[in-house]
């Protein structure tokens, strides 16, 4: 069980929740602030003054005053009417992360919900009740309304949820888990669906997967360097310290460590007629380092957002005030930045694949890395696949944050598009893991051709893990399962563990 402290939860905790499926609860110390805000909302709901979202309609209908007796109906209608999401269901780990982020936001004590609402989310996480949340329908302001409405629908016994692997009504899932639906009070529906937790959860997943892919790219690039008998001179520490970028310096250091002891490298340190390697080998620290810096920048933004209060209105010292924290522009920018890093990591990796299969550039490796070219095509079309995925990722990297459109009768006249900006990161990371998996296959094949010369111990350890799933390529064979297996080793961190590579964001 993870105990989350509102305002101070770390990305490490959130990644553990997402990867390992552990339940989470708020630090009980948050309750006093939550109860105080809920009491303020209750007083406002019983008063005569119009307070947005408490005793009024929503959005363009904010001028319509709602009688105290209709408060529960107002909140239920809000949830049901906003359940307009379409598309496939959000994956369970990401949905659970979204729920945890909602806990953190409500736990700051500015949303005005009762503690029993928080307790229900905690219980759903602990007992494995996961709302079915369609992934399409949010424009990232006024919050992720449709996705969060589907989450909330399950909490009130409507909508759908997953429980023990079965999809059923929200009411049935709660009942099967021994839980009761909540009857929403004043502002509670708005507090639950107004916020950036859907977009932020998907951006965090994109960050977590992207960081792992980036570290894998350091291993595959080192394998490729040895495969084409490239130089390690461009990894010289002073080169990178003279430029000064943290990511570049750390990438160069990691690559030096990974390649230390390579017999292949030592075999051509002297007397090599080549003066310089192509940029995809020589400039890996500059490109991967810049990507690392971008991911760290996005991580800083997303850690703040994960702990933020993003609904509206908010209970603050001056009263219950309408603002705009639901606007997900910071998340949209972070997602666009992550997308750039992913696209460029894949672009330079793909060029290394192309380098290795080209006999004019690979320093005497056979065409397409097959021992019998002509009769066999080797990795010819595997390289084409990486080119296709690289191009797809370039297209997906185009910014989403610049594509605003007015909604809700022009009341919400500028939106962030953070939701699909973050959602596309999943596809990009999947594509990138395949590119890197193919690079690992090609580079390992190239290194095998250098026998009896051997690569470094760390890189050999990574190759050994790969060879358990994909033996060296002799005669042509059905490659799709091996490409998937190599991609899976990238995604699950097996190569990182084998090479003992770890760099913290």
């Amino acid at each position: 069980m993870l105990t989350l402290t509102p305002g101070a939860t770390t990305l490490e905790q959130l990644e553990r929740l997402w990867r390992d499926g552990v339940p989470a609860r708020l630090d009980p110390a948050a309750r006093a602030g939550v109860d105080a805000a809920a009491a303020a909302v209750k007083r406002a709901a019983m008063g005569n003054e119009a307070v947005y979202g408490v005793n009024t309609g929503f959005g363009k209908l904010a001028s319509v005053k709602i009688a105290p007796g209709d408060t529960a109906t107002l909140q239920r209608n809000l949830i049901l009417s906003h359940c307009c999401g379409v598309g496939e269901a959000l994956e369970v780990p990401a949905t659970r992360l979204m729920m945890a982020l909602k806990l953190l936001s409500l736990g700051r004590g500015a949303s005005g919900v009762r503690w029993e609402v928080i307790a229900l989310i905690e219980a759903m996480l602990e007992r494995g009740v996961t709302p079915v949340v369609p992934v399409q329908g949010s424009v990232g302001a006024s919050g992720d309304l449709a996705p969060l409405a589907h989450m909330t629908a399950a909490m009130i016994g409507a909508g759908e949820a997953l429980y023990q692997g079965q999809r059923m009504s929200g009411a049935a899932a709660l009942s099967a888990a021994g839980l009761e639906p909540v009857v929403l009070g004043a502002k509670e529906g708005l507090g639950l669906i107004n916020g950036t937790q859907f977009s932020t959860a998907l951006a965090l997943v994109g960050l977590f997967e992207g960081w792992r892919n980036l570290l894998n790219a350091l291993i595959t690039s080192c394998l490729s360097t040895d495969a084409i008998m490239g130089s390690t001179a461009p990894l010289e520490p002073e080169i990178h310290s003279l430029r000064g970028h943290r990511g570049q310096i750390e990438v160069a250091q990691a690559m030096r460590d990974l390649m230390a002891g390579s017999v292949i490298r030592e075999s051509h340190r002297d007397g090599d007629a080549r003066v310089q390697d192509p940029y995809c080998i020589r400039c890996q620290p500059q490109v991967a380092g810049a990507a690392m810096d971008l991911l760290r920048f996005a991580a800083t933004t997303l850690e703040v957002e994960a702990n933020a209060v993003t609904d509206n209105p908010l209970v603050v010292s001056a009263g219950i005030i309408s603002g705009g924290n639901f606007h997900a522009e910071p998340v949209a920018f972070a997602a666009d930045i992550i997308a750039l890093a992913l696209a460029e990591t894949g672009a330079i990796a793909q060029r290394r694949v192309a380098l290795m299969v080209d006999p004019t550039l690979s320093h005497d490796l056979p065409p397409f890395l097959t021992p019998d070219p002509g009769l066999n095509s080797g990795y010819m079309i595997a390289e084409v696949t990486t080119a296709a995925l690289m191009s797809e990722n370039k297209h997906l990297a185009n910014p989403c944050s610049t594509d605003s459109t007015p909604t809700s009768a022009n009341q919400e006249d500028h939106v962030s598009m953070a939701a699909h900006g973050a959602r596309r990161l999943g596809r990009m990371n999947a594509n990138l893991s395949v590119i890197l998996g193919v690079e690992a296959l090609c580079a390992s094949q190239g290194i095998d051709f250098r026998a009896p010369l051997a690569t470094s111990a760390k890189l050999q350890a990574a190759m050994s893990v790969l060879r358990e799933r994909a033996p060296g390529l002799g005669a042509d064979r059905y490659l799709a399962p091996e490409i998937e297996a190599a991609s899976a080793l990238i995604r699950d961190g097996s190569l990182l563990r084998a090479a003992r590579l770890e760099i913290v964001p």
Side-chain angles (χ1 to χ4, degrees):
M1 174 74 73
L2 278 178
T3 298
L4 305 178
T5 302
T9 293
T10 66
L11 294 185
E12 181 181 10
Q13 289 176 297
L14 295 174
E15 184 170 6
R16 183 184 167 207
L17 188 150
W18 171 67
R19 288 196 188 277
D20 301 338
V22 295
R25 66 181 181 90
L26 289 185
D27 186 335
R31 180 159 188 170
V34 170
D35 288 345
V41 167
K42 183 177 181 179
R43 289 192 297 272
M46 301 304 295
N48 295 320
E49 182 180 350
V51 179
Y52 174 69
V54 176
N55 54 13
T56 71
F58 307 102
K60 197 73 171 179
L61 303 176
S63 60
V64 180
K65 185 77 160 51
I66 306 299
D70 291 330
T71 295
T73 302
L74 173 70
Q75 298 299 315
R76 184 176 180 84
N77 286 349
L78 172 69
I79 301 308
L80 299 179
S81 68
H82 283 54
C83 284
C84 295
V86 297
E88 64 190 26
L90 184 62
E91 293 179 349
V92 168
T95 305
R96 290 175 57 84
L97 178 58
M98 178 183 73
M99 295 166 71
L101 295 178
K102 180 55 73 174
L103 283 178
L104 287 174
S105 183
L106 300 178
R108 294 289 296 275
S111 300
V113 305
R114 293 164 298 156
W115 189 260
E116 67 184 87
V117 174
I118 290 172
L120 178 57
I121 298 176
E122 292 175 336
M124 291 170 71
L125 287 171
E126 183 175 6
R127 301 187 192 187
V129 178
T130 306
V132 174
V133 177
V135 297
Q136 292 173 281
S138 172
V139 295
S142 163
D144 295 315
L145 295 172
L148 291 171
H150 284 276
M151 179 197 78
T152 307
M155 297 173 61
I156 65 174
E160 293 183 294
L162 296 170
Y163 180 67
Q164 294 185 346
Q166 300 297 312
R167 184 167 175 165
M168 60 190 75
S169 71
L174 291 174
S175 177
L179 301 173
E180 294 289 333
V182 67
V183 177
L184 299 175
K187 195 194 169 294
E188 289 180 337
L190 194 60
L192 286 164
I193 72 170
N194 217 207
T196 67
Q197 287 75 37
F198 174 82
S199 296
T200 305
L202 285 176
L204 284 170
V205 171
L207 174 69
F208 299 150
E209 291 181 332
W211 188 262
R212 178 169 284 184
N213 272 331
L214 178 62
L215 295 189
N216 273 289
L218 305 190
I219 294 175
T220 60
S221 66
C222 288
L223 289 168
S224 296
T225 300
D226 257 1
I228 62 109
M229 301 187 83
S231 174
T232 56
L235 303 179
E236 179 66 30
E238 191 174 356
I239 293 174
H240 306 286
S241 63
L242 282 169
R243 197 171 198 186
H245 292 295
R246 176 187 173 187
Q248 180 179 329
I249 292 169
E250 290 185 359
V251 166
Q253 175 65 61
M255 292 180 69
R256 290 195 300 273
D257 291 346
L258 286 167
M259 298 194 70
S262 169
V263 178
I264 293 175
R265 172 63 188 114
E266 295 305 319
S267 72
H268 63 96
R269 191 176 291 276
D270 298 318
D272 194 328
R274 296 169 298 172
V275 177
Q276 293 180 327
D277 292 316
Y279 288 178
C280 64
I281 299 293
R282 191 173 8 135
C283 298
Q284 172 68 350
Q286 287 78 7
V287 175
M292 183 173 284
D293 288 340
L294 284 185
L295 292 183
R296 282 191 170 122
F297 181 87
T300 299
T301 296
L302 294 175
E303 186 168 71
V304 171
E305 189 73 8
N307 285 281
V309 184
T310 56
D311 63 288
N312 182 62
L314 297 179
V315 183
V316 296
S317 57
I320 302 175
I321 308 296
S322 285
N325 279 4
F326 50 74
H327 199 297
E329 197 81 350
V331 183
F333 283 164
D336 282 347
I337 288 170
I338 293 169
L340 292 174
L342 300 181
E344 283 297 273
T345 300
I348 195 169
Q350 197 283 326
R351 295 314 306 156
R352 292 191 294 269
V353 174
L355 181 73
M356 287 185 283
V357 301
D358 186 343
T360 64
L361 299 172
S362 64
H363 196 55
D364 300 325
L365 291 175
F368 305 107
L369 299 168
T370 175
D372 189 10
L375 180 62
N376 296 283
S377 296
Y379 286 105
M380 178 189 293
I381 303 305
E383 185 269 331
V384 174
T385 296
T386 65
L389 297 181
M390 173 191 68
S391 183
E392 185 176 314
N393 272 5
K394 287 179 180 179
H395 172 75
L396 290 170
N398 283 299
C400 296
S401 57
T402 56
D403 189 25
S404 178
T405 188
T407 62
S408 193
N410 282 301
Q411 177 74 5
E412 298 158 9
D413 59 350
H414 182 276
V415 298
S416 72
M417 298 300 180
H420 69 266
R423 183 164 59 88
R424 95 324 194 144
L425 300 177
R427 183 172 162 191
M428 293 185 71
N429 271 307
N431 289 344
L432 178 53
S433 71
V434 173
I435 294 171
L436 297 175
V438 172
E439 184 182 11
L441 290 170
C442 290
S444 296
Q445 182 84 349
I447 288 172
D448 286 344
F449 281 119
R450 303 300 182 187
L453 302 177
T455 188
S456 70
K458 288 185 176 181
L459 294 179
Q460 187 59 57
M463 280 182 59
S464 296
V465 170
L466 179 67
R467 285 291 178 244
E468 292 174 2
R469 306 286 295 276
L473 184 63
D476 282 349
R477 60 176 182 256
Y478 189 54
L479 284 178
E482 294 178 24
I483 292 173
E484 173 52 37
S487 174
L489 294 174
I490 297 291
R491 294 192 303 271
D492 69 17
S494 293
L495 299 188
L496 296 177
R497 289 188 292 274
R500 302 191 301 280
L501 177 60
E502 182 176 0
I503 304 175
V504 297

